[in-house]
Amino acid sequence: MKTIFYFFILLSFPLLASAQQTRKIRVLDSNDRPIPNVNIRLMPQNKVLKTDDLGYFSFVQDGQKQIEASAIGYSRQIVSLLLDPAIAVIRLKATSVQLDEAIVNTGYYRSDKRNLPGSFVQIDQKLLQRNPSPNIIERLEGITSGLQFDRRTNFNENTIKPSLRLRGVVSIESSSEPLIILDNFPYTGDLNQINPDDIENITVLKDASAAAIWGAKAGNGVIVLTSKKGINNTPLKLTFSASSILKDRPDLFYNRNYIPSADRVDLEQTLFDRGFYNRANPTLLPGVAALNFKYKDGLIDLSTLEQQKEILRNRDVREQAQEHLYRMSWLQRYNLQLKAGGSDFNYLLSAGFDQNNLNIVGDRDRRYTFSLNTEYNLLKKLVLNTNIRLNMNQSIHNGYSLSDLNYTRNLDGYTTFEDGDGTALPINYRYLSSYVESAEKNGLLDWSFSPIKDRNQQDLNATNRNLLLGTGLSYEIISGLNLSLKYQFQQGINTTRNLYKKDSYLVRDLVNRFTQADGTYIIPLGAILDQNNGSDQSYNWRGQLNYSRNFLKRHQINALAGAELSENKTIAEAGSRLYGYNSDNLSYQTSFDYTKYYPVRPEGSGLIPTNTATTMELTNRYISYYGNLNYVFDKMHTVSLSTRWDASNLFGVKTNQKGVPLWSIGVNEDLKNSLKLTPNWISRLNLRASYGVTGNVVNKISALPTAYVATFVFPNSLPSATLSSAGNPSLKWERINIINLGLDFAVLNGRIRGTIDYYSKDGNDLIGESFLDPTTGIFTSNGVSNVDNRINYANMITKGLDLNLSANIIQGNFRWDANLLWSYTTNKVTNYMANSAVKTSSFVSSPRPREGHSLDEIYAYPFGGLDPATGMVLTPRGDKDYTGYFNSISIDDLILVGRSFPPYQGSIRNTFTYKNFGLSFLIQWKNGFYFRRKSIDYAKLFQNSIGNIDYLDRWQKPGDEHTTIVPALPSDVNANRDSYYANVSPLVVSIRPMNYRSADFLKF
């Protein structure tokens, strides 16, 4: 590995390369982006050439005096070789008719998208820089039609990485995420490790004609990231950028799962008076209950009890948390870039550093990035490219969020973290407060817990390192015929190192729990170190022939054919836990009996905890053959063909099941010129159509039976294996048939322009659950199999529309540009095996695939109202037999409310510029969907202290049933009653009015 790395380092320094000087010129646009497929005419001999994917063309001067460069969407440029004999770069100026983002990169070739029938979106660096997010993919939100960010898993102040959908979802079991390509190969690392300042542009491939060249991994679309490169014959240019972003604390008062402290104190007093709380075992009880027990034991008098309760009424844990647990986040980003080039080489070096102090006190992230891209002309027709990318992310998460402090019960709503003097206070956590307070008297360690103190007693560190090495050779065999060889190696290493110091709560809690009756320590009093390691390696090889030629003035052919091999290996190592760890001499204790059950406090018995991370190794291998042909006649009529054959070790036990043929065909017709439309206000009118077959991979299913092997302590400590999958010898690729119809237009000399696309994605051979005869040993419980037996048989279809409309409203020194994006998508399952064992309630809590219905549907129970006499919720039958109701209903008795995922989304972007000053703002919206809002759940309120602001609107007297749907405070716990109410139709809220999410960016 080190030898390979040093070899790339040597290749990456231009001063070490020697090459023969050749006459080579590059064609760029005004933003220094290469323009491929530019028509080059050498005069006076009228020799015709074309630029390659990187905008280069080579020639022997041999009496040539002028060069004419022309391309669709750019003004024709003629340069004189006599006046400027050393010219190395020709810059073409875009015409006003040019549609936005015209140059696309598929990862296999670059071309002007107006010559292609596929559905592409190309985002340049200028547009990417409008969003300051450190995540490159999140910068696409609101500027890419059809790309949806799914944040349904976010809850209150907890933000989780969104999942992506590109033109909806077309698989039931596999991921909906699009394929991510970085510099021509799939990227397997963490997207957060990519420095957005290193990316030149992003191309989104939406339909089969655009994405089919990526084959069986392209069913969800493809997002292609292209890094910045150097430019030949340019002086050294240094660019430094710095940015700082401040973000306010999370708004904890937005969370509805709270009851005001005054009401909570009264509620807990009522429950205590009813005898709901008991201290038969020292489990956690609310603070009001603990005070009452102290009064009952004579430890405090009635006056003190009422005084303490009054203090609690005036506290709010959310105010305390915002002051002591949270802070404004501060993201600082720094980036340095050097680029230069001589006649035979160029390079670009980039280094970045990000420092992010997160919202939670004690949490911070660091990101270090380094990249070096080089290009050498080794011989007259031989070009060498190399790239090195090193990234490292470090995350330290020592702090506590408010939700981190919830255990068997939610944190008391009147908790305080510091006293008036700034001294950290212990909180009511895990065990009964009187039990914790007596710990030291009973010979135990201090058992109290203060999150403010504890965040300084632990060092929870995760480090992700990623190395990417790539190289490529390109040789021009004859004019128009090029051979390219590419290789890329990626390695990601993930390390988690969690150190809990001797005085941390985790250490003190374990020591106390395992302290024996005679005072013997089973867990040593010292630091605990948990470590986990994992890695991911991938290799990619590709050989490709590229052919490009214009002939007879009216014909243009671009073709390619190639093959590639790839391997990806993921390894997870067994984790370790070291007790009594000493960081000074790296020693730790080893004499433990992990098979013995010890008496533990407060009650019961248990094994000494170990690191539960397991060993896993997964290897995926692929081989592919592919080809693409693009033919243009008379610059008006385009036909594109693409084919690919993919095979993998994941599929089938027969050779003919391991591979799958995939293909696409598309046409692009220039209607304005072919129909000779005469109105001057029509600047451009192109019709596109494509059809093709791509695929999806479900790599968690095996063609062979699989089992988990482990050693269980009970009853005999012998190895055992648990069957996890029955195996599917007929396992094959999921196939996605995609139709796309598109119209590109420009009017009023290009001042108004846009695209409209209709698409249909038909998923076949999708993975779905197979329900077998129980005598096979594979049975279901509520529709879930004890052993994975999924097979290829299901079908579904997704349809939608994409609209992209741009306008130059005002031109001149003051300029106003506007852009509208809008998309609609819907899906329906057309074939799925029904299972009568699935309970109807499962469709409410977690909807199952249902033939003839969308995957995103949300169901609810009909609401029976409230009992006028008691305020208890009634079933639709008018009774309170909730168990009987659940056992009697069918799917037809439920209310199909609508979609849980927005079918409509859009954005409006306005940009105002005056000379070198610019102002841009973006408004996004999503609508047409529903969500189930939280309400009061009395079982969770009584047992787990999980409240909800709806408690204040509960039924309290006869007649309230006409003004509220919130049930009265019950006298008992009934989980079925609460489950029914939590899922009634009035709690499913429509998002039909537009939900606005705006972001303003000021750029100079």
Side-chain angles (χ1 to χ4, degrees):
M1 180 60 213
K2 290 184 177 180
T3 303
I4 297 176
F5 179 73
Y6 293 143
F7 172 72
F8 273 86
I9 290 291
L10 291 174
L11 288 178
S12 299
F13 284 94
L15 294 178
L16 297 178
S18 61
Q20 299 179 5
Q21 187 171 352
T22 61
R23 193 66 195 269
K24 192 173 186 178
I25 295 178
R26 196 176 199 187
V27 181
L28 306 174
D29 63 13
S30 57
N31 294 316
D32 285 341
R33 297 177 302 187
I35 308 175
N37 299 319
V38 176
N39 296 312
I40 302 296
R41 188 160 63 98
L42 304 177
M43 298 178 287
Q45 296 182 7
N46 286 325
K47 184 177 180 180
V48 177
L49 304 173
K50 185 174 285 289
T51 59
D52 61 19
D53 288 349
L54 297 177
Y56 288 109
F57 68 94
S58 302
F59 67 100
V60 178
Q61 187 160 340
D62 192 22
Q64 308 293 350
K65 299 178 180 180
Q66 289 183 321
I67 299 175
E68 179 187 78
S70 62
I72 298 175
Y74 297 90
S75 299
R76 188 184 304 271
Q77 178 85 346
I78 298 178
V79 297
S80 172
L81 294 174
L82 298 178
L83 297 177
D84 190 1
I87 186 171
V89 175
I90 298 175
R91 285 183 170 81
L92 299 185
K93 183 178 180 180
T95 64
S96 60
V97 176
Q98 182 190 24
L99 293 181
D100 296 332
E101 300 102 31
I103 307 302
V104 297
N105 178 17
T106 69
Y108 288 92
Y109 60 89
R110 291 170 56 94
S111 182
D112 190 322
K113 80 172 184 179
R114 285 158 292 190
N115 292 332
L116 300 173
S119 181
F120 300 86
V121 174
Q122 209 267 359
I123 310 296
D124 62 16
Q125 187 189 23
K126 183 179 179 181
L127 193 53
L128 287 172
Q129 292 298 323
R130 296 173 186 268
N131 187 334
S133 171
N135 184 292
I136 183 63
I137 298 299
E138 291 186 9
R139 293 192 176 197
L140 298 179
E141 187 168 17
I143 61 174
T144 308
S145 61
L147 182 61
Q148 300 166 301
F149 289 71
D150 186 356
R151 292 186 171 86
R152 287 177 292 179
T153 54
N154 286 359
F155 181 69
N156 299 325
E157 72 271 17
N158 300 314
T159 301
I160 300 174
K161 176 186 174 183
S163 58
L164 301 180
R165 290 185 179 187
L166 182 56
R167 287 187 164 182
V169 59
V170 71
S171 182
I172 297 172
E173 296 286 346
S174 68
S175 170
S176 65
E177 299 275 334
L179 178 65
I180 305 297
I181 305 300
L182 176 62
D183 292 334
N184 306 314
F185 289 105
Y187 182 71
T188 59
D190 184 354
L191 291 173
N192 285 317
Q193 293 182 327
I194 299 176
N195 183 358
D197 291 323
D198 289 344
I199 302 302
E200 178 68 26
N201 57 64
I202 297 178
T203 303
V204 182
L205 317 180
K206 296 182 178 182
D207 70 337
S209 181
I213 192 147
W214 283 104
K217 300 178 182 179
N220 296 321
V222 183
I223 298 178
V224 181
L225 312 181
T226 303
S227 296
K228 295 178 180 178
K229 305 292 192 299
I231 302 174
N232 282 41
N233 295 295
T234 56
L236 177 65
K237 181 179 180 180
L238 184 150
T239 303
F240 176 77
S241 63
S243 63
S244 185
I245 302 172
L246 291 173
K247 186 177 180 181
D248 202 2
R249 296 173 173 87
D251 183 6
L252 301 181
F253 290 85
Y254 184 77
N255 184 351
R256 294 177 54 87
N257 287 343
Y258 282 91
I259 295 176
S261 295
D263 297 277
R264 180 175 284 277
V265 169
D266 293 340
L267 168 65
E268 292 173 356
Q269 184 64 54
T270 298
L271 294 178
F272 184 86
D273 293 339
R274 290 181 181 179
F276 182 80
Y277 302 118
N278 69 80
R279 46 182 177 171
N281 56 62
T283 55
L284 180 65
L285 292 178
V288 171
L291 285 172
N292 274 275
F293 279 120
K294 285 185 177 181
Y295 169 68
K296 190 174 181 179
D297 294 339
L299 300 177
I300 60 175
D301 57 23
L302 180 61
S303 174
T304 302
L305 171 64
E306 295 300 328
Q307 186 180 42
Q308 290 297 316
K309 285 163 57 178
E310 189 61 30
I311 292 174
L312 298 183
R313 284 189 177 95
N314 293 289
R315 289 177 179 170
D316 193 317
V317 69
R318 294 170 294 182
E319 294 178 353
Q320 288 282 312
Q322 286 192 315
E323 180 179 357
H324 301 296
L325 302 184
Y326 296 93
R327 63 188 175 189
M328 293 185 67
S329 67
W330 185 16
L331 170 62
Q332 302 168 74
R333 302 188 64 242
Y334 306 93
N335 192 72
L336 175 67
Q337 288 188 348
L338 299 172
K339 69 176 180 179
S343 59
D344 296 318
F345 70 88
N346 65 70
Y347 68 91
L348 186 145
L349 184 148
S350 174
F353 171 66
D354 291 17
Q355 178 173 261
N356 191 3
N357 291 326
L358 302 174
N359 278 128
I360 299 174
V361 177
D363 290 5
R364 64 182 185 272
D365 290 341
R366 302 288 185 272
R367 179 171 70 184
Y368 307 85
T369 63
F370 172 84
S371 65
L372 178 61
N373 294 310
T374 64
E375 180 181 276
Y376 313 90
N377 298 328
L378 298 179
L379 300 172
K380 182 178 180 180
K381 297 183 178 182
L382 183 64
V383 178
L384 170 67
N385 296 281
T386 68
N387 65 294
I388 296 176
R389 185 181 297 272
L390 293 168
N391 303 314
M392 183 174 72
N393 282 21
Q394 289 182 320
S395 300
I396 297 175
H397 294 279
N398 295 330
Y400 290 94
S401 70
L402 197 54
S403 59
D404 290 335
L405 303 178
N406 298 327
Y407 193 59
T408 55
R409 286 185 175 273
N410 272 16
L411 192 64
D412 291 337
Y414 37 73
T415 298
T416 184
F417 299 106
E418 284 187 0
D419 62 16
D421 297 327
T423 302
L425 297 175
I427 66 172
N428 194 22
Y429 185 67
R430 295 195 71 168
Y431 309 111
L432 188 66
S433 58
S434 59
Y435 182 79
V436 171
E437 292 166 1
S438 64
E440 291 182 274
K441 296 179 182 179
N442 295 324
L444 302 176
L445 302 176
D446 174 17
W447 215 334
S448 65
F449 172 62
S450 166
I452 294 178
K453 289 182 177 180
D454 202 60
R455 65 192 178 203
N456 298 317
Q457 297 298 322
Q458 56 190 15
D459 184 11
L460 312 183
N461 195 318
T463 303
N464 300 324
R465 299 177 178 87
N466 186 268
L467 168 66
L468 187 151
L469 303 174
T471 186
L473 282 171
S474 177
Y475 181 72
E476 184 179 8
I477 302 172
I478 59 175
S479 178
L481 182 61
N482 174 276
L483 172 65
S484 66
L485 302 174
K486 298 181 186 296
Y487 169 78
Q488 182 174 276
F489 168 79
Q490 292 184 65
Q491 182 183 59
I493 299 176
N494 306 315
T495 302
T496 301
R497 185 181 187 275
N498 295 335
L499 176 64
Y500 302 92
K501 301 177 183 178
K502 182 183 68 172
D503 294 326
S504 68
Y505 180 77
L506 182 139
V507 170
R508 290 183 287 114
D509 179 58
L510 279 176
V511 171
N512 283 345
R513 285 173 55 203
F514 280 84
T515 297
Q516 302 301 287
D518 60 359
T520 302
Y521 283 173
I522 302 300
I523 304 294
L525 180 56
I528 295 176
L529 177 64
D530 286 339
Q531 297 181 102
N532 295 288
N533 298 296
S535 64
D536 186 277
Q537 289 186 357
S538 64
Y539 306 85
N540 295 272
W541 298 265
R542 180 186 300 169
Q544 181 173 308
L545 280 170
N546 306 283
Y547 180 72
S548 178
R549 185 179 178 186
N550 293 340
F551 56 95
L552 300 178
K553 297 183 179 180
R554 304 179 69 183
H555 304 275
Q556 176 184 332
I557 291 180
N558 292 285
L560 62 88
E564 58 186 10
L565 297 169
S566 63
E567 177 182 289
N568 179 264
K569 179 178 290 186
T570 302
I571 299 174
E573 300 177 7
S576 64
R577 165 167 282 193
L578 307 180
Y579 286 103
Y581 179 75
N582 187 322
S583 56
D584 293 330
N585 56 23
L586 306 183
S587 64
Y588 54 92
Q589 296 188 26
T590 59
S591 299
F592 300 101
D593 186 352
Y594 291 101
T595 66
K596 180 179 178 180
Y597 280 86
Y598 293 92
V600 296
R601 301 169 188 261
E603 58 186 4
S605 61
L607 299 170
I608 297 176
T610 61
N611 194 314
T612 58
T614 57
T615 301
M616 183 271 291
E617 183 172 327
L618 179 66
T619 301
N620 298 330
R621 298 186 181 94
Y622 301 90
I623 183 172
S624 304
Y625 304 95
Y626 60 89
N628 181 270
L629 173 66
N630 197 62
Y631 169 70
V632 181
F633 174 68
D634 211 16
K635 299 182 180 180
M636 295 183 292
H637 319 284
T638 302
V639 176
S640 179
L641 300 172
S642 181
T643 184
R644 184 180 177 106
W645 185 82
D646 284 328
S648 171
N649 66 321
L650 295 174
F651 299 97
V653 295
K654 301 177 181 178
T655 302
N656 61 353
Q657 293 173 335
K658 294 182 180 293
V660 58
L662 305 166
W663 56 273
S664 72
I665 183 171
V667 295
N668 186 335
E669 184 70 16
D670 184 347
L671 298 179
K672 173 177 172 58
N673 292 310
S674 62
L675 299 180
K676 299 182 180 179
L677 301 179
T678 56
N680 293 330
W681 57 270
I682 299 179
S683 307
R684 183 178 180 222
L685 190 64
N686 278 57
L687 178 66
R688 293 176 286 105
S690 67
Y691 176 79
V693 182
T694 61
N696 267 335
V697 179
V698 185
N699 57 14
K700 295 182 179 180
I701 301 177
S702 172
L704 302 174
T706 56
Y708 291 103
V709 178
T711 299
F712 291 97
V713 173
F714 182 82
N716 49 26
S717 300
L718 294 177
S720 64
T722 302
L723 188 67
S724 60
S725 171
N728 179 5
S730 299
L731 184 67
K732 54 187 175 182
W733 311 79
E734 295 185 335
R735 295 167 64 91
I736 315 298
N737 303 326
I738 304 177
I739 297 174
N740 191 90
L741 299 175
L743 183 70
D744 304 330
F745 61 89
V747 298
L748 302 179
N749 199 30
R751 292 189 64 175
I752 299 176
R753 57 203 181 274
T755 63
I756 302 174
D757 282 86
Y758 164 81
Y759 59 87
S760 175
K761 302 166 71 174
D762 188 6
N764 296 283
D765 295 330
L766 304 182
I767 293 293
E769 194 76 26
S770 176
F771 304 106
L772 305 179
D773 188 323
T775 59
T776 61
I778 299 175
F779 57 89
T780 62
S781 174
N782 192 24
V784 178
S785 296
N786 64 325
V787 174
D788 192 341
N789 62 323
R790 290 174 289 178
I791 62 174
N792 300 86
Y793 74 91
N795 300 326
M796 70 175 296
I797 190 168
T798 296
K799 298 180 179 180
L801 290 169
D802 287 340
L803 170 67
N804 185 342
L805 183 64
S806 299
N808 302 130
I809 300 175
I810 299 177
Q811 295 181 330
N813 286 334
F814 176 79
R815 184 182 178 98
W816 177 13
D817 296 303
N819 175 258
L820 168 68
L821 298 179
W822 179 85
S823 63
Y824 165 76
T825 182
T826 182
N827 65 75
K828 182 172 69 174
V829 177
T830 56
N831 180 31
Y832 196 82
M833 198 177 295
N835 183 8
S836 59
V838 177
K839 294 180 179 179
T840 301
S841 58
S842 296
F843 285 92
V844 176
S845 58
S846 54
R848 305 300 179 88
R850 187 181 176 198
E851 192 170 305
H853 294 265
S854 169
L855 283 179
D856 299 318
E857 288 178 343
I858 184 170
Y859 294 85
Y861 298 121
F863 183 50
L866 302 180
D867 186 336
T870 64
M872 293 295 101
V873 64
L874 300 174
T875 72
R877 303 181 303 188
D879 59 27
K880 301 172 189 174
D881 182 8
Y882 312 105
T883 302
Y885 174 71
F886 286 155
N887 291 334
S888 66
I889 60 174
S890 67
I891 186 69
D892 296 329
D893 296 318
L894 300 178
I895 296 176
L896 174 54
V897 182
R899 308 289 178 83
S900 62
F901 191 78
Y904 304 96
Q905 72 170 24
S907 68
I908 298 176
R909 185 177 72 251
N910 285 275
T911 303
F912 302 93
T913 56
Y914 178 73
K915 295 184 178 179
N916 294 325
F917 176 85
L919 171 66
S920 176
F921 66 90
L922 177 72
I923 298 175
Q924 298 174 239
W925 71 85
K926 301 176 182 180
N927 63 298
F929 67 105
Y930 297 78
F931 75 96
R932 180 175 285 112
R933 73 172 183 85
K934 299 290 185 179
S935 186
I936 193 69
D937 185 316
Y938 286 112
K940 293 180 180 178
L941 176 62
F942 294 174
Q943 297 173 338
N944 311 109
S945 296
I946 300 175
N948 189 280
I949 196 66
D950 280 357
Y951 174 78
L952 303 183
D953 298 325
R954 70 192 183 282
W955 187 99
Q956 299 187 58
K957 63 182 184 303
D960 286 352
E961 67 274 7
H962 300 301
T963 59
T964 184
I965 66 168
V966 184
L969 182 70
S971 59
D972 62 343
V973 173
N974 188 321
N976 282 339
R977 177 185 59 211
D978 289 306
S979 176
Y980 166 70
Y981 170 68
N983 294 287
V984 295
S985 57
L987 294 181
V988 181
V989 183
S990 169
I991 308 297
R992 291 194 179 278
M994 292 183 180
N995 253 8
Y996 290 100
R997 180 188 178 197
S998 62
D1000 298 342
F1001 303 104
L1002 183 65
K1003 187 174 182 180
F1004 295 89

